[in-house]
Amino acid sequence: MITDETALVLALPEDTAESLMARVRATHAANVQILAPEGTTVLQRVAGTDTVRALAAAAGISLTIISSDPAILKAARQSGLTTIEVTGTHVQSPPPATSSPTTEDIPAEDLEFLAALDELTGTDSSAMLFTPPVKPSTAETRPIAAPTTRPLPAQSDSAAPPSSPVMGDDDLEFFDALDDLAAAFEQERTGAPPPPIPSSRESSAQPPRVRPEDIQLSAAETARANQIGQRSETERAKRPTRPPQRTTPPPTAATDTAERPRRLPTRTPPPATPKAAARPANRPLSQLSWSLLGILLITLIAFGIFLVVTRSVTIVVRLPARETVPINGLVIPLSPVSGNTAQGAVVAEPISTTVAISRSGEVTEGVLTPVESASGVITLRNLNTQPITIPAGSEFIAIGPNNQPIPFISNVEVTVPGAVTSNLGNQIITTLGEAQVPITARSPGSASNIPANSIREVRIPGGPTITLTGGILTVVHDAIGGGTDEEVFVIKESDVRRYLAETLTSLDQEARRQLDGLALARNLRLEPTTVSPSRAELEQLAGFEQIVVPPVGTTLRDTRSFTLTVQARYSGLAIAGDSAQFQRQLADAFNTQLIQNGQLRPGDCRAAFVRGWRWDGSALQIDGEVGPDPACGNELDPATRAAIQNAVLGRSRAEAEAELQALVASGRLAGFELPKDIERFPSWSWQIRIRNE
């Protein structure tokens, strides 16, 4: 799916047109800028840029070539692609990635083990090693709540191991409190008195153990641990001070002692007294109190949810169909590039130029044109004794080979004398009156030639029509000829159209070249979508003036050539940014203008959509529509939801129905459904639920 976004794709020297367009299509963006390093072969040839442009047009993607390579820019411009020239630096392809020496991955378990060893074998003399006190491994061993602490000093091979430090009274009381707490838990669990804690000698008989999971506390954690279970100064004064016991070093070699960490001596606390056992017994009671408090809170929350669910009501509403309102020809104002940008305006400057392109054409097909008219003399015979006058301009109608009438016109006035009868005794002779009439065909050409005795009637101007085939007036004549045709060359509209498309293409290219130059002179760039007249208008044979010399319909005798000239006043907009930025400005200005005109209100889940724009040389106009906002989906907009809540909060059923009917009448709702058995609605908004169907 193509989105209205802009993406940047880096061309590689080894790219082909198909591989480059595959990465372009993978961005799913409608506008893609290709950063072409110098030497990108596929973009240095016009054939390559033509292929890229064709693939992009098929995918509905607008391309912009960015490069410092003159060959790439020239090929892209010849292919009609938008270009951006990089000056002052060179666009180079990224260097090939150098292979770094491979390193072997260390498993996570080994890393944890090495980290534990680092903690255990640190050279810092103040490092502390903690090992838990060892208890007899019996089933009734009491839990130990905290580890004991001893320093692990750095030793040399020749130095003797130092003596263990003496534990202070605070440490003894800390461990004493932990033991008492553990004893209380064990007594609570089993109901039996806790077993005695082993003596220091028994505890020290166990071999020391150092494991990676031993805990090492920080100074802050050690300080907090020392404060747990401390007794007051009064109780501490009642307790006799005990000197710490030292552990006799095991009878092993010095090297073995140096390698293994030594344990501190453990002490045997006195048997648990009733007071010591009673002190931690309060903790289960505290835990029980917290449990009861938690149960109470959960109960209150559940009761509140129950109230919300049982006391809330649901109102079902139906929204009206969201119609789409078309917006055609909305004029967007312009702001100069160097000035302040007005709200709802687009930053652009108009530029214009007049362009004319001429080329010669040739008429290739001749036509037969009538040249001479048929003419001749006919003989009229009068059977009447009275003379008959045929005025000049009388029309004699002949019938041609295809039974089509062929008119002839008499050139002079002729009087046909009447017939004369002579009585010769044994016979009577009647001599018909005769007259010769010269005639000429009304239309020239070979079609006016007629065979002998094909004239059928004569039409007297302002008088009757006389039949010449059996009446008192007859006609005889030979074949009449002389009509001729000649092949001539006439400029036709089809001859002009044969050269018009190529001439208009040259006109558009030259106009855009001149507009580009005007924009660059202002340190701007031409926005190609604003060029007027557009190519679509030229295809509809609009937006230009056509001049043919000689004009269409002229007969050419000495030559077959003519000259075709097309000219137009071209205009466009020069912008400071790229096409994507211009389109964003258009969308913002369109949205702002609709809000200012009251055709769009923020928060009503309607949005403006730009469908197209055009620059007619004087105004920038946008065609679009206002329709449902896809971001809102089928949800109620906040204003409608608030209106529905206000219509029912704290109202009776009749009042709520009247308010909601008003919303339906205003067109904000298509319908609604109130819950049954509700005569008065709650007064809190959280008790009103609205469902849109």
Side-chain angles (χ1 to χ4, degrees), residues 5-6 31 33 525 527 578-585:
E5 300 291 340
T6 301
N31 302 283
Q33 298 177 347
R525 60 180 300 273
E527 172 52 42
D578 55 10
S579 296
Q581 181 180 356
F582 177 73
Q583 294 177 18
R584 288 193 295 269
Q585 289 186 28

Side-chain angles (χ1 to χ4, degrees), residues 122-169:
T123 58
D124 187 0
S125 60
S126 62
M128 303 298 291
L129 182 64
F130 303 91
T131 58
V134 180
K135 300 291 183 177
S137 58
T138 62
E140 298 180 353
T141 302
R142 291 187 295 160
I144 300 303
T148 58
T149 309
R150 65 183 178 86
L152 182 63
Q155 298 180 359
S156 62
D157 295 339
S158 59
S163 60
S164 301
V166 178
M167 297 180 64
D169 186 62

Side-chain angles (χ1 to χ4, degrees), residues 138-443:
T138 62
E140 298 180 353
T141 302
R142 291 187 295 160
I144 300 303
T148 58
T149 309
R150 65 183 178 86
L152 182 63
Q155 298 180 359
S156 62
D157 295 339
S158 59
S163 60
S164 301
V166 178
M167 297 180 64
D169 186 62
D170 292 341
D171 296 334
L172 294 175
E173 291 186 3
F174 168 68
F175 290 113
D176 195 20
L178 293 179
D179 291 338
D180 292 343
L181 180 61
F185 275 114
E186 184 66 20
Q187 183 178 3
E188 182 71 20
R189 184 178 65 85
T190 62
I197 298 176
S199 63
S200 302
R201 184 177 302 276
E202 293 175 353
S203 178
S204 61
Q206 300 293 333
R209 294 180 299 170
V210 177
R211 297 173 298 175
E213 60 268 22
D214 289 340
I215 304 172
Q216 182 175 356
L217 300 178
S218 65
E221 292 171 340
T222 304
R224 288 197 301 270
N226 290 336
Q227 296 175 1
I228 299 176
Q230 281 192 351
R231 301 179 181 179
S232 63
E233 295 295 336
T234 305
E235 293 178 348
R236 187 179 302 168
K238 295 179 181 179
R239 175 184 178 94
T241 303
R242 303 179 186 178
Q245 300 180 5
R246 298 182 181 272
T247 304
T248 304
T252 57
T255 56
D256 184 50
T257 304
E259 292 176 357
R260 293 187 304 171
R262 295 178 295 111
R263 295 177 51 84
L264 286 174
T266 59
R267 62 181 182 82
T268 302
T273 61
K275 179 180 179 181
R279 184 173 62 249
N282 293 331
R283 188 174 300 274
L285 295 178
S286 176
Q287 293 179 349
L288 179 61
S289 301
W290 281 108
S291 300
L292 293 175
L293 181 59
I295 294 174
L296 179 60
L297 290 176
I298 294 174
T299 304
L300 292 176
I301 294 174
F303 181 71
I305 296 175
F306 174 76
L307 287 179
V308 172
V309 174
T310 56
R311 294 288 298 171
S312 62
V313 296
T314 301
I315 300 174
V316 179
V317 298
R318 294 183 298 277
L319 293 177
R322 298 181 182 273
E323 61 179 4
T324 299
V325 180
I327 306 295
N328 296 321
L330 180 64
V331 177
I332 302 298
L334 301 179
S335 291
V337 176
S338 59
N340 296 327
T341 303
Q343 186 178 11
V346 172
V347 179
E349 295 182 2
I351 51 178
S352 61
T353 182
T354 299
V355 184
I357 297 293
S358 299
R359 69 154 303 162
S360 61
E362 185 178 51
V363 180
T364 57
E365 296 180 359
V367 294
L368 290 176
T369 300
V371 178
E372 299 291 339
S373 299
S375 61
V377 178
I378 61 175
T379 300
L380 293 178
R381 292 177 179 176
N382 185 6
L383 299 178
N384 195 1
T385 58
Q386 298 296 325
I388 298 175
T389 300
I390 305 298
S394 297
E395 188 175 48
F396 292 84
I397 305 300
I399 303 301
N402 297 325
N403 292 325
Q404 78 275 14
I406 301 174
F408 285 81
I409 304 299
S410 63
N411 300 327
V412 295
E413 181 178 320
V414 175
T415 300
V416 181
V420 178
T421 302
S422 301
N423 188 353
L424 300 179
N426 58 351
Q427 61 181 356
I428 296 175
I429 299 174
T430 299
T431 303
L432 302 178
E434 292 184 358
Q436 305 292 321
V437 180
I439 58 175
T440 302
R442 181 184 292 276
S443 299

Side-chain angles (χ1 to χ4, degrees), residues 353-584:
T353 182
T354 299
V355 184
I357 297 293
S358 299
R359 69 154 303 162
S360 61
E362 185 178 51
V363 180
T364 57
E365 296 180 359
V367 294
L368 290 176
T369 300
V371 178
E372 299 291 339
S373 299
S375 61
V377 178
I378 61 175
T379 300
L380 293 178
R381 292 177 179 176
N382 185 6
L383 299 178
N384 195 1
T385 58
Q386 298 296 325
I388 298 175
T389 300
I390 305 298
S394 297
E395 188 175 48
F396 292 84
I397 305 300
I399 303 301
N402 297 325
N403 292 325
Q404 78 275 14
I406 301 174
F408 285 81
I409 304 299
S410 63
N411 300 327
V412 295
E413 181 178 320
V414 175
T415 300
V416 181
V420 178
T421 302
S422 301
N423 188 353
L424 300 179
N426 58 351
Q427 61 181 356
I428 296 175
I429 299 174
T430 299
T431 303
L432 302 178
E434 292 184 358
Q436 305 292 321
V437 180
I439 58 175
T440 302
R442 181 184 292 276
S443 299
S446 59
S448 62
N449 298 330
I450 59 175
N453 299 323
S454 58
I455 295 178
R456 296 291 182 264
E457 62 185 18
V458 58
R459 298 172 181 174
I460 305 299
T465 298
I466 302 174
T467 302
L468 302 178
T469 57
I472 61 174
L473 191 65
T474 59
V475 61
V476 293
H477 63 86
D478 295 330
I480 299 176
T484 59
D485 298 324
E486 181 183 5
E487 184 181 22
V488 295
F489 295 90
V490 179
I491 302 176
K492 302 182 293 298
E493 193 68 35
S494 58
D495 297 323
V496 177
R497 292 285 179 87
R498 190 167 60 251
Y499 301 97
L500 184 59
E502 181 181 353
T503 309
L504 289 177
T505 301
S506 301
L507 176 71
D508 187 73
Q509 292 176 351
E510 176 62 21
R512 291 174 183 267
R513 186 190 66 80
Q514 293 185 18
L515 291 176
D516 275 330
L518 294 174
L520 291 176
R522 304 185 186 186
N523 292 325
L524 302 175
R525 60 180 300 273
L526 174 67
E527 172 52 42
T529 60
T530 63
V531 175
S532 175
S534 64
R535 290 170 178 169
E537 291 177 304
L538 297 180
E539 291 175 357
Q540 298 298 323
L541 302 181
F544 66 94
E545 181 183 1
Q546 170 185 305
I547 302 173
V548 181
V549 179
V552 174
T554 302
T555 300
L556 302 178
R557 298 186 180 277
D558 298 332
T559 181
R560 298 184 182 182
S561 299
F562 63 90
T563 301
L564 171 63
T565 302
V566 290
Q567 63 183 17
R569 178 69 176 176
Y570 269 80
S571 179
L573 294 179
I575 59 176
D578 55 10
S579 296
Q581 181 180 356
F582 177 73
Q583 294 177 18
R584 288 193 295 269

